[in-house]
Amino acid sequence: MSVRSVASTRTSRFSPATREALTFYAMVSPWIIGFLVFVAYPSLRSLYLSFTHYLVGRDPSWAGFDNFSRMAHDANFWQSMKVTGLYVLGSVPGSTIIAIAVAMLLAQNIRGVSVWRTIYFLPSVVSPVAVAVLWFYVFNPEYGLINTLLDYIGINGPGWIFDKDWALLTVVFMSWWTVGGQIVIYLAGLKGIPKELYEAVSVDGGGPWAKFRHITIPMLSPTIFFNVVLALIGAFQIFEGPWILTRGGPDDATLTYMLNLYKQAFEFGNFGYASALAWMLFVIIMVFTLLVFRSSSLWVYYEAERK
């Protein structure tokens, strides 16, 4: 019996449904293995470590909820919560407004619009580290581009990243620059709005503001909802900018939650407490995301749900 006939005989032992199932699991097995090794196991391991005292060079010892109760008395934890909260309040609304405004401009039939779309999208594909280094030279108070331009018109620029009153605002400004991904999504949403709706407003005597208020925003609200959720999750996890620009300073003015978590783990070697911080951040993000979802019924308009 030939090898080919043997293989055919073995294959025929399985029903078509079984062969289809085996083929499916064979195809998805790389993803399943990667998920188990690089996502599931590290997550479960960190969950276990969050309930232990685990310092570098020592074996984990059970601590119960000590790491979580420690947060209530940790000044760095509350400072990082404050900084991250202020960053979210500045970054998410600002980036949303800028992205919508730029998307509306790029949705117009103007000359070279493809080039402008590429220019606005490029910052989103650049490494966050490279973006932070670029803004370091832009906002450097001694030789940065911003203060150099301000000197030309006789204005003494602020200390930016070296001034505790301006450092966090500088990081927020940087977040507004990388909104290319949001712009692309808003462009797609704007292209999906029927032109007949704008024509109906014009017939009723409505101007640009009426079109924007009564047509653009309601029809774009599902897209806004999607982008806001993603921006909110990303803002709570901000790390690269504050780390490259200020290392959390000056005077902990840019000590974000993720930066504090990083320091606890890799500078102080307290992996148990750092794991607890990571899971607390997970809970915080889940709570705020659920609040946004619950509020969506008040401001998100879905045409398919009209009665």
Side-chain angles (χ1 to χ4, degrees):
M1 184 179 294
S2 65
V3 175
R4 183 175 182 179
S5 61
V6 172
S8 177
T9 303
R10 290 179 177 177
T11 304
S12 62
R13 296 176 183 175
F14 302 104
S15 65
T18 303
R19 289 200 299 271
E20 183 178 354
L22 291 174
T23 302
F24 167 77
Y25 286 114
M27 294 299 176
V28 301
S29 60
W31 182 89
I32 294 176
I33 295 172
F35 174 80
L36 293 175
V37 174
F38 299 109
V39 178
Y41 172 74
S43 299
L44 294 175
R45 176 68 175 175
S46 69
L47 180 60
Y48 163 71
L49 292 178
S50 67
F51 294 99
T52 65
H53 292 304
Y54 182 31
L55 300 175
V56 175
R58 300 182 184 179
D59 294 330
S61 60
W62 188 255
F65 289 92
D66 288 354
N67 288 324
F68 294 93
S69 61
R70 173 182 169 182
M71 297 177 193
H73 310 286
D74 186 359
N76 286 334
F77 170 79
W78 291 110
Q79 175 65 14
S80 66
M81 285 288 293
K82 173 186 174 182
V83 170
T84 303
L86 292 174
Y87 175 81
V88 170
L89 289 175
S91 173
V92 176
S95 61
T96 300
I97 294 172
I98 292 173
I100 293 175
V102 174
M104 292 185 65
L105 291 175
L106 297 179
Q108 308 302 315
N109 293 322
I110 58 178
R111 187 174 182 179
V113 66
S114 298
V115 177
W116 287 108
R117 290 175 181 175
T118 303
I119 291 174
Y120 277 103
F121 183 70
L122 277 178
S124 298
V125 297
V126 177
S127 167
V129 176
V131 171
V133 172
L134 170 65
W135 283 100
F136 176 83
Y137 288 103
V138 171
F139 283 108
N140 191 288
E142 297 180 1
Y143 49 81
L145 176 63
I146 299 297
N147 279 8
T148 300
L149 295 176
L150 291 176
D151 286 339
Y152 281 132
I153 58 177
I155 298 177
N156 186 20
W160 299 114
I161 57 177
F162 297 137
D163 188 336
K164 65 179 182 180
D165 295 326
W166 286 89
L168 182 59
L169 191 59
T170 303
V171 178
V172 172
F173 288 158
M174 187 177 68
S175 71
W176 293 350
W177 189 63
T178 54
V179 294
Q182 294 189 45
I183 292 173
V184 171
I185 297 174
Y186 283 129
L187 272 172
L190 289 171
K191 293 295 183 180
I193 301 177
K195 295 182 179 179
E196 293 80 6
L197 298 178
Y198 292 112
E199 294 172 356
V201 175
S202 298
V203 171
D204 291 338
W209 172 249
K211 295 178 181 179
F212 176 77
R213 179 184 177 185
H214 299 292
I215 302 298
T216 302
I217 291 300
M219 296 298 292
L220 202 62
S221 59
T223 308
I224 297 174
F225 170 72
F226 175 79
N227 275 332
V228 165
V229 170
L230 292 185
L232 186 70
I233 295 172
F236 272 109
Q237 301 178 76
I238 180 66
F239 172 78
E240 295 91 349
W243 174 249
I244 298 298
L245 290 176
T246 63
R247 293 294 195 274
D251 295 333
D252 293 335
T254 58
L255 183 67
T256 61
Y257 196 101
M258 285 297 296
L259 190 52
N260 180 46
L261 191 156
Y262 173 85
K263 288 185 175 183
Q264 291 292 337
F266 299 105
E267 289 189 5
F268 307 143
N270 195 342
F271 289 102
Y273 186 53
S275 298
L277 288 173
W279 280 96
M280 179 58 69
L281 179 61
F282 171 77
V283 172
I284 292 171
I285 292 176
M286 283 293 295
V287 169
F288 279 93
T289 303
L290 288 174
L291 288 176
V292 174
F293 269 89
R294 292 295 298 270
S295 69
S296 63
S297 60
L298 301 176
W299 59 277
V300 179
Y301 169 80
Y302 293 102
E303 187 176 9
E305 295 181 356
R306 287 191 308 171
K307 296 181 179 180

